Amino acid sequence: MIIPAGLYTIQNNLQYIAVKLLDPATFQVTYQLKILTTALFSVLILGRRLTPKKWVSLLLLTLGVILVKTSSQKSQESPEFNAQRTLGFLAVLSACVLSGLAGVYFEKILKGSQSSLWVRNTQLSFFSLFPAFFLGVLWMDGESVRTHGFWYQYNVWTFGAIGCQAFGGMIVAVVVKYADNILKGFATSISIVLSSVISIFLFDFQMTPTFVIGATLVIYSSYLYGLD
């Protein structure tokens, strides 16, 4: 469990970097590339064979993300702004690779073990403390923690994010073990639509035709991939 715990810890921190540099709608759509990385690692690690329909869905997914990336890179924006967005996309892509690898590895452990889902989640949580503490707290923020204390600038939004991550992690584990891929695809589609609509009101997000086409391709590819 040390391996997926470390991968998930790094992936979560990359997500925070990406959300800081990208709008939520663009992040949510681009992050669906984890379907592609998960499929590729499933072939490499679990020896699965993908049907032609699944390969087509992965191709559509990649095309949709490329369109979303293109729509977000505006020529009228400053070079610094576009550089930040490019860094955000790189963070998302790295998080997708780690998500795919960690997810497949965790699935291999879950389905080849007699331990319960909750025991494995407890182990995963425990082992993730070590990279989070040594790499995150001591190495990255050690001086700030020593100066202001560990709980400096914690507020209701901080605890809300922690709660979402913790509860979401439990849901992901249940999905991996029990849920149907089609239902998972519908959940993904709903989350993309909600993120896009909310971003319009909260972050003044401009929904271009290119973004709509790209997001539609991503949603359809997620649904197509889950079809039996």
Side-chain angles (χ1 to χ4, degrees), residues 93-159:
L93 293 177
S94 301
C96 288
V97 172
L98 294 180
S99 175
L101 179 57
V104 171
Y105 197 94
F106 191 36
E107 179 182 353
K108 185 179 179 68
I109 293 174
L110 281 178
K111 294 183 176 177
S113 172
Q114 298 299 321
S115 299
S116 70
L117 177 66
W118 308 109
V119 169
R120 287 303 188 188
N121 267 290
T122 302
Q123 293 171 341
L124 189 66
S125 174
F126 174 76
F127 285 120
S128 67
L129 293 175
F130 295 97
F133 179 74
F134 289 105
L135 295 179
V137 177
L138 292 185
W139 184 41
M140 299 294 294
D141 298 315
E143 183 177 351
S144 177
V145 170
R146 285 190 295 270
T147 303
H148 303 289
F150 183 83
W151 304 103
Y152 178 65
Q153 288 190 338
Y154 267 65
N155 54 36
V156 64
W157 298 106
T158 310
F159 287 106

Side-chain angles (χ1 to χ4, degrees), residues 9 18 43 50 52 56 67 78 80 94 107 127 139 207:
T9 303
V43 172
L50 301 182
V56 170
L67 289 175
S78 65
E80 293 79 12
S94 301
E107 179 182 353
F127 285 120
W139 184 41
M207 192 175 295

Side-chain angles (χ1 to χ4, degrees), residues 44-126:
L44 295 175
I45 297 177
L46 302 179
R48 285 184 179 151
R49 298 179 63 121
L50 301 182
T51 63
K53 182 188 295 182
K54 289 187 182 295
W55 285 114
V56 170
S57 68
L58 294 175
L59 180 62
L60 292 176
L61 173 67
T62 306
L63 179 60
V65 171
I66 291 174
L67 289 175
V68 169
K69 170 68 171 66
T70 303
S71 70
S72 67
Q73 203 81 13
K74 301 177 181 178
S75 58
Q76 66 267 27
E77 299 289 357
S78 65
E80 293 79 12
F81 180 81
N82 285 329
Q84 280 192 345
R85 295 189 70 84
T86 300
L87 182 60
F89 276 105
L90 291 176
V92 174
L93 293 177
S94 301
C96 288
V97 172
L98 294 180
S99 175
L101 179 57
V104 171
Y105 197 94
F106 191 36
E107 179 182 353
K108 185 179 179 68
I109 293 174
L110 281 178
K111 294 183 176 177
S113 172
Q114 298 299 321
S115 299
S116 70
L117 177 66
W118 308 109
V119 169
R120 287 303 188 188
N121 267 290
T122 302
Q123 293 171 341
L124 189 66
S125 174
F126 174 76

Side-chain angles (χ1 to χ4, degrees), residues 189-204:
S189 303
I190 294 172
S191 68
I192 291 174
V193 173
L194 284 177
S195 297
S196 301
V197 173
I198 294 174
S199 295
I200 295 175
F201 297 99
L202 294 184
F203 302 101
D204 196 25

Side-chain angles (χ1 to χ4, degrees), residues 198-217:
I198 294 174
S199 295
I200 295 175
F201 297 99
L202 294 184
F203 302 101
D204 196 25
F205 175 66
Q206 302 296 323
M207 192 175 295
T208 64
T210 306
F211 178 89
V212 173
I213 295 173
T216 302
L217 284 176

